Amino acid sequence: MDREDRTHSAQHSNTPLHRLSGTRSEALGSRRAVELGQRSALPVTVEVEQYGKEVLDFSSHYGSENSMSYTMWNLAGVPNVYPSSGDFTQTAVFRIYGSWWEQCTSSVPRFRRTPPSFHSQDYLELAFEEPVYPTAVEVLETYHPGAIVKILACSLNPFSQNPPADVRWEVLWAGKPNKALTPQARQFSPGIKQINFATNLLRLEVNCSLLEYYTELDAVILRGVRERPILALYKIPLIDISDLSDSEEEISDAGGLCCRSGGENRHNLGNGYFDRLPYELIQLIVSHLPVPDLCRLAQSCKLFHKHCCDPLQYIQLSLQPYWARLTDASLSHLQSRCTLLQRLNMSWTGNRGAVTAAGFCSFMKACGVSLVCLELSCCHFLTEACLEVIAQTCPCLQELNLASCDRLQPQAFNHIAKLPNLRRLVLYRTKVEQSAILSILTFCPELKHLNLGSCVMIEDYDVVASMLSARCRSLRSLDLWRCRNLSERGLAELVSGCRLLEELDLGWCSTLQSSSGCFQHLARSLPRLRKLFLTANRTVCDSDLEELAANCSALEHLDILGTRMVNPASLRKLLQSCPQLKLLDVSFCSQVDSRFVQELSGLFPNVSIKKSFTQ
């Protein structure tokens, strides 16, 4: 078994399976009928069991855009692997795991005010054939389970021709990041909350930071009933008498995530002597509040309204945790507070019409002048007009993340070249074309971090590498994950011109051949190298590792998964020569067996040595 691209045919079955069950209230009703002398049968409720029909959206995956191996699309249909455990190409696998990516120089610091309860790093959305009132959700995890932190249901039927005006998301279950005791397969079925609408659209959010290796998902089962449960009809919400703040429904009526303010506020004359505190101290106190609480507090009295609307409270703003509630109205109400905004995270927000291109452009025109960092991954409302407005209104922008904005048309990316101060650009899984990226590199020479992973519409990566070498000599990190046409000549030009590189991802770049000496030249040219991924390059050999050991003593992360030409002696030498090494992946390296990996792990306890398996 190997992590090699190959398509596979899986039979996707969405035929509902049925079970009979009776609710307690129905049973009681029948009992009363019998007691009254009436002849009546016991009412039954048909429970439908169905597998996912179609994967509609996701934030990342390990696989390529032109194959089924390790892609999120494998999650649709019946299980391909379960109950087997191990590393299988027929499963859905996210791009990252563990804390390794957070340790890299290319990682972005966490935004202030991110709620401690927000753990999600990746997501996927899965549609089912028939809307039901959920009674259970079961996820078949086949390798390193424990990543799921949230399961949500949507009121929208993605197959309906008449979508509702108001799209709602309800959390069925939420938990903290976890790690199962073993990497073996399991069926994850947490207790879920009862909701008052039928759904055939689920969203799974994951956090893989605690996992030892890539998590793999095989299938999702949605169980539910067609008719609304009687208990849900008469469900009375519990009210906490100590909670005197506005409810989320009232907040939504007043403008979504951020409430209206001004003359409509209820003023509390007794402010607990807060007005006697220095202005700066009150600012410090309220700076610890998450955004929704800040908006609620602004309604309590004039003093807090003044502090909570101070633009200094909104220099950094992360709206990603509130993706399900963010609307055009929310952005409109935030505009007056965000005149000093420098870092904005809107990743995952606005999809299915919640935010429009016009609403986003209006916000950017009002608040973009001081922006330095803009995170927009998976924002499917973005259009070419949005990128044009960003280029026109954000002259100071240094960081732009458009990862998985795969619905942006190719011509939209030309506007990025008008941002000459860019230092970090993420275009993972986008439709950027070669002409656009060459223009960007020409006019953005200060780039330090560039991610072109899985950009399948770039025809010749050698030309891109040559331009990087000539124009972006300050480059620190470069992600070329699954670039199919980078040759030894292009790599040689790249490492000769970009000698400050600390991170280089050449995973699944299958056209590179070690016999040309390209990897040895890489090692000699990049003495600052800290991360090198040569994943699935079968030609990596002992000579390459010896050059890395001799020239790259700062190396921390090395992935040589899948090579057949590295022996244990060269691995031992590498570990001895690179004292900073933390991650070494030798999965599917045919000359390195599990017993030797155990031996090395004992000799080098600070290094996490990975050896994937398949049962």
Side-chain angles (χ1 to χ4, degrees):
M1 185 62 193
D2 201 345
R3 279 187 179 264
E4 57 184 84
D5 279 339
R6 64 176 184 268
T7 59
H8 69 279
S9 59
Q11 295 179 346
H12 288 176
S13 172
N14 299 293
T15 305
L17 306 176
H18 302 88
R19 298 190 306 182
L20 299 181
S21 63
T23 65
R24 182 174 179 271
S25 58
E26 290 171 333
L28 290 175
S30 297
R31 180 179 176 183
R32 292 192 189 98
V34 172
E35 290 173 349
L36 291 173
Q38 301 175 1
R39 299 176 61 87
S40 63
L42 178 68
V44 294
T45 300
V46 176
E47 183 174 81
V48 179
E49 177 187 281
Q50 50 186 332
Y51 291 98
K53 178 181 180 179
E54 183 180 353
V55 175
L56 299 181
D57 192 20
F58 56 90
S59 55
S60 78
H61 60 182
Y62 186 94
S64 75
E65 305 304 295
N66 302 317
S67 170
M68 288 294 289
S69 298
Y70 299 114
T71 64
M72 286 298 128
W73 301 304
N74 285 323
L75 208 57
V78 299
N80 298 306
V81 173
Y82 188 85
S84 297
S85 300
D87 192 337
F88 290 90
T89 63
Q90 302 97 323
T91 57
V93 185
F94 290 98
R95 178 69 185 86
I96 65 173
Y97 73 93
S99 60
W100 319 111
W101 277 258
E102 297 174 0
Q103 299 171 6
C104 295
T105 57
S106 57
S107 66
V108 179
R110 189 176 175 89
F111 275 68
R112 293 203 303 264
R113 277 207 174 94
T114 301
S117 59
F118 181 73
H119 305 294
S120 305
Q121 294 177 332
D122 273 299
Y123 75 87
L124 66 92
E125 293 179 2
L126 183 63
F128 296 79
E129 181 68 35
E130 182 179 355
V132 295
Y133 293 89
T135 56
V137 175
E138 300 170 6
V139 184
L140 306 183
E141 303 174 274
T142 53
Y143 200 37
H144 288 277
I148 298 171
V149 294
K150 191 175 289 186
I151 303 174
L152 303 98
C154 187
S155 62
L156 172 72
N157 180 347
F159 306 120
S160 172
Q161 299 299 318
N162 301 306
D166 181 31
V167 178
R168 296 170 51 201
W169 285 93
E170 286 283 346
V171 177
L172 299 179
W173 174 86
K176 295 181 179 180
N178 193 14
K179 181 177 73 171
L181 295 178
T182 72
Q184 306 297 323
R186 75 172 186 182
Q187 180 172 299
F188 180 61
S189 183
I192 63 173
K193 184 179 76 173
Q194 195 173 66
I195 58 176
N196 61 4
F197 59 82
T199 184
N200 63 337
L201 177 55
L202 296 183
R203 176 179 172 118
L204 307 184
E205 296 185 358
V206 304
N207 182 312
C208 302
S209 62
L210 298 182
L211 301 187
E212 295 294 327
Y213 206 58
Y214 296 98
T215 190
E216 299 191 6
L217 310 179
D218 193 17
V220 178
I221 304 170
L222 171 61
R223 302 184 191 276
V225 294
R226 295 187 175 96
E227 301 296 329
R228 181 186 246 183
I230 294 178
L231 290 178
L233 289 171
Y234 300 100
K235 187 176 180 181
I236 301 175
L238 296 176
I239 300 175
D240 185 355
I241 197 170
S242 65
D243 183 10
L244 302 180
S245 64
D246 292 333
S247 67
E248 290 186 3
E249 289 74 19
E250 290 170 331
I251 296 296
S252 179
D253 291 340
L257 178 66
C258 183
C259 311
R260 282 191 173 90
S261 57
E264 298 173 359
N265 292 340
R266 297 185 298 272
H267 303 310
N268 179 10
L269 298 178
N271 58 36
Y273 299 101
F274 261 87
D275 53 352
R276 298 188 179 184
L277 295 177
Y279 189 91
E280 295 79 4
L281 182 56
I282 302 177
Q283 284 287 94
L284 177 62
I285 293 171
V286 300
S287 70
H288 294 281
L289 294 175
V291 176
D293 290 346
L294 201 64
C295 294
R296 292 187 181 104
L297 186 61
Q299 301 177 87
S300 62
C301 67
K302 288 183 177 180
L303 177 68
F304 284 142
H305 175 262
K306 180 180 179 181
H307 283 280
C308 293
C309 294
D310 191 322
L312 289 173
Q313 292 291 337
Y314 300 87
I315 291 177
Q316 287 194 33
L317 181 61
S318 179
L319 299 175
Q320 182 181 8
Y322 318 109
W323 63 265
R325 288 188 285 162
L326 192 73
T327 65
D328 278 352
S330 308
L331 293 178
S332 177
H333 297 315
L334 283 167
Q335 277 190 20
S336 62
R337 310 179 186 196
C338 296
T339 55
L340 300 179
L341 187 62
Q342 295 180 11
R343 301 186 72 222
L344 174 63
N345 182 3
M346 286 184 60
S347 293
W348 303 3
T349 64
N351 297 334
R352 297 188 171 86
V355 173
T356 65
F360 173 79
C361 290
S362 176
F363 182 79
M364 294 306 297
K365 289 175 182 177
C367 308
V369 66
S370 300
L371 265 183
V372 175
C373 173
L374 182 56
E375 300 283 326
L376 296 172
S377 66
C378 307
C379 289
H380 300 312
F381 63 84
L382 290 174
T383 64
E384 181 181 358
C386 296
L387 265 62
E388 184 176 10
V389 168
I390 291 171
Q392 292 172 348
T393 61
C394 306
C396 303
L397 198 63
Q398 297 181 12
E399 301 180 38
L400 178 61
N401 182 357
L402 297 172
S404 290
C405 292
D406 53 349
R407 298 172 202 181
L408 265 175
Q409 294 305 304
Q411 65 271 15
F413 298 95
N414 289 310
H415 296 286
I416 299 175
K418 304 170 188 174
L419 297 167
N421 296 311
L422 274 184
R423 303 291 192 276
R424 174 176 162 267
L425 179 60
V426 180
L427 298 177
Y428 167 73
R429 288 191 66 239
T430 62
K431 295 177 181 176
V432 64
E433 292 181 338
Q434 183 165 311
S435 59
I437 193 63
L438 293 178
S439 178
I440 292 169
L441 298 181
T442 300
F443 295 103
C444 303
E446 301 301 319
L447 273 175
K448 287 184 170 59
H449 306 285
L450 179 62
N451 187 333
L452 297 176
S454 293
C455 291
V456 297
M457 298 186 72
I458 297 177
E459 302 90 355
D460 190 345
Y461 273 93
D462 281 355
V463 176
V464 175
S466 178
M467 182 65 77
L468 280 167
S469 175
R471 298 289 298 169
C472 302
R473 293 180 172 267
S474 299
L475 203 64
R476 297 293 196 279
S477 71
L478 178 61
D479 191 329
L480 297 179
W481 176 260
R482 293 190 178 273
C483 298
R484 290 291 186 179
N485 51 28
L486 179 69
S487 73
E488 296 84 0
R489 179 179 60 82
L491 181 58
E493 276 200 73
L494 174 70
V495 299
S496 296
C498 302
R499 291 183 172 271
L500 300 180
L501 272 172
E502 298 177 17
E503 301 174 28
L504 182 57
D505 193 333
L506 300 173
W508 294 89
C509 295
S510 55
T511 52
L512 295 172
Q513 296 293 314
S514 173
S515 57
S516 68
C518 62
F519 298 136
Q520 297 177 44
H521 178 55
L522 180 156
R524 289 191 292 266
S525 302
L526 303 178
R528 296 171 177 242
L529 202 60
R530 295 171 55 189
K531 171 185 172 180
L532 178 62
F533 275 29
L534 301 175
T535 317
N537 191 305
R538 306 183 192 287
T539 69
V540 175
C541 63
D542 292 332
S543 300
D544 301 323
L545 264 61
E546 289 171 3
E547 287 292 340
L548 287 171
N551 297 283
C552 303
S553 59
L555 198 63
E556 297 179 6
H557 305 150
L558 178 63
D559 185 341
I560 55 171
L561 175 150
T563 182
R564 299 168 179 171
M565 303 177 68
V566 166
N567 66 47
S570 60
L571 278 179
R572 188 190 300 270
K573 183 176 181 180
L574 177 80
L575 287 163
Q576 292 170 340
S577 304
C578 300
Q580 305 301 319
L581 202 62
K582 301 174 183 176
L583 172 66
L584 176 61
D585 194 337
V586 294
S587 300
F588 303 114
C589 292
S590 55
Q591 294 193 47
V592 183
D593 59 29
S594 298
R595 187 171 58 180
F596 181 70
V597 168
Q598 290 180 349
E599 179 186 339
L600 288 181
S601 297
L603 294 173
F604 303 95
N606 295 326
V607 184
S608 184
I609 305 177
K610 307 300 180 184
K611 180 70 173 175
S612 187
F613 73 88
T614 299
Q615 286 185 344

